[in-house]
Amino acid sequence: MSKVLYVKANPKTRENSYTFKMSEAFVDEYQKANPKDEITTLDLYQEDIKPLTAEMIGELFTQEDSDVRRYVKQFANADKYIIAAPMWNLSVPAILKVYIDYLVVAGVTFKYTEEGPVGLLKDKKVTYLVARGGKYSESPAQDFEMGERYLRTILGFIGITDFTTVSTELTNVLQGEELEKSVAASIEEAKRGAKEF
Ligand SMILES: Cc1cc2nc3c(=O)[nH]c(=O)nc-3n(C[C@H](O)[C@H](O)[C@H](O)COP(=O)(O)O)c2cc1C
């Protein structure tokens, strides 16, 4: 049995978020294919997660029993991650960055060695689902895309290198039937991905 952590980083609902249309389809399909697996949802907006204060940083980095470590403990305890976050200003919503600041903790998710830092999370995998208003999966705009690149890099830093992205693009450009078709194709891609996840 795998433990799956589903991290949601969008204030919108399923009905008006293309990201969530994909991610909810992914989660439903995954659960169908893996009925015994336990999926825990962490909605960062409902959680009302706050940026780290100076006091919290002190606790996070030094106190094993601190409540500030609850997110990193939960994260390290999972086997698989589903991250649903739209493209905002070429990257991820700030709330997801806030959450990541709770996760990158020396001695818990990475360690320093003489050869440099080494990730401690092993044999884990992540699927990142993202809706983007424009098209960033191909040049020339590819270089401006910093959400997927950031997540891939920071999760790689803590040891998670099995990283897959499912995106739907041009949500602010396409209209009507064309948009519907494009999103439907991305939802199908998400469902296929869920079966293999
Ligand atoms: C605050 C904000 C910033 C955005 N920044 C970008 C951007 O930099 N590039 C882009 O292509 N679309 C941008 N968009 C458009 C969203 O990526 C697009 O509407 C997408 O469908 C949002 O995902 P959702 O439907 O799951 O909410 C932005 C939207 C918002 C609300």
Side-chain angles (χ1 to χ4, degrees):
M1 191 202 82
S2 293
K3 286 187 184 157
V4 183
L5 184 62
Y6 172 31
V7 179
K8 300 173 70 175
N10 194 348
K12 294 187 189 172
T13 59
R14 178 183 191 151
E15 286 66 42
N16 53 25
S17 159
Y18 296 112
T19 302
F20 287 160
K21 283 184 206 296
M22 287 190 296
S23 65
E24 299 286 323
F26 186 99
V27 167
D28 290 349
E29 200 68 24
Y30 181 85
Q31 191 75 88
K32 255 195 262 167
N34 305 277
K36 291 197 175 138
D37 285 8
E38 179 189 299
I39 304 178
T40 302
T41 301
L42 182 66
D43 182 323
L44 298 179
Y45 280 91
Q46 273 182 21
E47 195 72 18
D48 199 18
I49 188 165
K50 294 279 193 297
L52 293 171
T53 61
E55 193 186 344
M56 288 159 83
I57 291 168
E59 286 190 21
L60 182 67
F61 291 170
T62 60
Q63 291 181 31
E64 209 171 307
D65 297 337
S66 167
D67 187 48
V68 185
R69 283 207 177 176
R70 70 187 180 282
Y71 293 121
V72 69
K73 284 180 186 164
Q74 179 190 46
F75 194 85
N77 200 29
D79 305 299
K80 301 178 182 181
Y81 311 94
I82 300 164
I83 300 180
M87 173 182 260
W88 277 13
N89 298 313
L90 307 178
S91 182
V92 295
I95 203 163
L96 182 54
K97 172 62 169 63
V98 165
Y99 174 61
I100 286 167
D101 290 341
Y102 284 79
L103 305 181
V104 184
V105 181
V108 184
T109 48
F110 79 98
K111 65 177 178 185
Y112 293 106
T113 70
E114 282 178 8
E115 289 79 44
V118 174
L120 293 175
L121 300 187
K122 293 280 172 264
D123 302 321
K124 305 198 188 257
K125 44 162 67 174
V126 57
T127 293
Y128 164 51
L129 299 114
V130 53
R132 304 181 180 121
K135 192 164 186 72
Y136 293 83
S137 57
E138 291 171 10
S139 60
Q142 207 169 27
D143 288 350
F144 297 109
E145 198 291 316
M146 286 174 270
E148 176 177 343
R149 208 174 335 159
Y150 172 64
L151 287 178
R152 200 183 273 281
T153 306
I154 196 68
L155 294 176
F157 182 82
I158 57 176
I160 307 167
T161 51
D162 188 337
F163 185 106
T164 305
T165 299
V166 182
S167 67
T168 193
E169 296 195 301
L170 296 170
T171 61
N172 287 1
V173 177
L174 300 176
Q175 286 182 348
E177 210 179 305
E178 232 190 333
L179 177 59
E180 270 173 41
K181 268 193 191 164
S182 167
V183 173
S186 301
I187 290 173
E188 287 311 310
E189 189 189 333
K191 286 184 181 172
R192 281 195 301 277
K195 285 187 192 138
E196 322 260 287
F197 190 53

